[in-house]
Amino acid sequence: MPELPDVEGFRGVLAEHATGQCVERVDVADAGVLRGVTARQLGDALRGRCFARPQRHGKWLIAPTDGPAVLFHFGMTGSLQWLERGAPLNRYDRVTFVTGAGELRYRDMRKLQGITLAHGRDEEDRVLAGLGPDALDVTSAELDRILAGRRGAIKAVLIDQKVIAGLGNLLADEILWRAGIHPRRPARSLTAGERRALHREMRGVLRAAIRAGRVPPRPSWLTGARDRKDPRCPRCGAPLCRAQIGGRTTVWCPTHQAS
DNA sequence: TCAGTTGTTTATAT
DNA sequence: AATATAAACAACTG
């Protein structure tokens, strides 16, 4: 699930509960989520360190401490939980950061991504290198520049983290649906008006999704209709189209997202 | 049993 | 260089 809005929610969990809290110990229930660091190294590096204000870039959550920074990526099924000390371990709680006030749990069923440790800014930058600007920071003019010259399908461009960081499959489809743009349109073929609409809907969808902590499966949204048995466009009732674009299942309305 | 899944990386081909 | 596709990762769900 985690796309930008979900990760923004996890950032809120960390900011609200863990900021200023110091790590007593780190319990690693499954080292399969540790990337480039062993359980022992993680515990040794963080013991006694205190969490500072967390940041987010795209789908990455950056948790600086007065020592190294913890970098979280949630893959498709990850989340961050704040629980009282000693709360029973969920089956998918892979790593627990124990603080005086409570426990921060990295929970993840499929272990597609995970946790890395960055000592200093350059290590942090190395991990995040290659990411495009955060989707919330992209201005209309910047979007124009990003799309110019790209022959690839707009859907594929939107979910490419190297281009814009934060948009996933559901968000991209939702944004294109609202903007009335067919997902297979070459990015550079969008008119100025379409690019403006795309930018406006990107901001609007992100804002609403952040408030909900996820891309909300509301009936009035594409996301609320796409997984029905006979999916229809919430706006016009037309049967929705479905295909693989940019390697992901893509859903669109043939009526008002004409090619 | 089998297809499908909201993320990313790598390999391969065009 | 850009673009497209498939597979792999892991662990489910329908």
Side-chain angles (χ1 to χ4, degrees):
Chain A
M1 289 162 79
E3 303 182 60
L4 187 155
D6 311 78
V7 180
E8 185 61 23
F10 303 149
R11 193 187 65 76
V13 168
L14 226 172
E16 182 183 350
H17 298 289
T19 301
Q21 291 297 318
C22 303
V23 177
E24 287 183 11
R25 65 171 201 280
V26 181
D27 294 337
V28 177
D30 188 336
V33 297
L34 301 184
R35 303 294 148 108
V37 65
T38 65
R40 164 158 308 190
Q41 288 169 341
L42 186 69
D44 287 350
L46 292 178
R47 198 170 301 113
R49 299 300 188 176
C50 307
F51 284 111
R53 205 163 173 71
Q55 318 283 318
R56 183 191 54 72
H57 188 96
K59 302 173 189 173
W60 283 88
L61 178 61
I62 301 134
T65 70
D66 51 349
V70 188
L71 275 47
F72 297 91
H73 196 295
F74 300 93
M76 284 174 68
T77 52
S79 71
L80 206 57
Q81 313 274 328
W82 179 260
L83 299 161
E84 61 188 32
R85 284 174 60 114
L89 210 61
N90 180 280
R91 179 177 177 191
Y92 303 119
D93 287 340
R94 310 297 188 182
V95 177
T96 300
F97 303 83
V98 181
T99 78
E103 298 184 352
L104 191 68
R105 302 261 178 92
Y106 177 81
R107 184 173 293 180
D108 192 17
M109 183 178 72
R110 297 163 72 175
K111 296 170 284 186
L112 292 177
Q113 296 293 322
I115 297 172
T116 65
L117 205 53
H119 302 271
R121 261 313 282 268
D122 21 318
E123 275 196 23
E124 191 180 315
D125 290 345
R126 214 170 303 146
V127 175
L128 305 179
L131 288 180
D134 188 83
L136 273 182
D137 294 335
V138 173
T139 65
S140 194
E142 203 170 358
L143 185 63
D144 286 351
R145 247 176 291 130
I146 285 168
L147 301 184
R150 288 186 187 273
R151 289 169 295 143
I154 182 64
K155 162 68 183 272
V157 171
L158 289 181
I159 61 176
D160 186 344
Q161 303 300 297
K162 299 188 291 297
V163 177
I164 298 174
L167 305 183
N169 197 38
L170 293 186
L171 276 173
D173 282 3
E174 190 72 46
I175 291 164
L176 289 170
W177 175 70
R178 289 224 217 164
I181 297 168
H182 192 284
R184 253 199 258 269
R185 289 274 303 283
R188 66 178 180 186
S189 77
L190 267 57
T191 66
E194 287 173 330
R195 294 195 300 268
R196 267 199 308 280
L198 188 65
H199 184 258
R200 182 177 62 243
E201 300 304 340
M202 178 171 78
R203 310 232 10 133
V205 169
L206 282 174
R207 193 165 149 246
I210 285 171
R211 201 162 25 195
R214 59 189 295 202
V215 187
R218 291 206 278 259
S220 59
W221 285 43
L222 181 68
T223 305
R226 63 184 295 157
D227 292 326
R228 305 253 174 96
K229 46 264 135 213
D230 176 31
R232 287 173 176 275
C233 175
R235 274 207 227 150
C236 66
L240 293 170
C241 296
R242 175 179 290 261
Q244 292 286 122
I245 302 177
R248 319 298 303 178
T249 298
T250 301
V251 173
W252 73 95
C253 168
T255 304
H256 60 274
Q257 287 172 275
S259 46

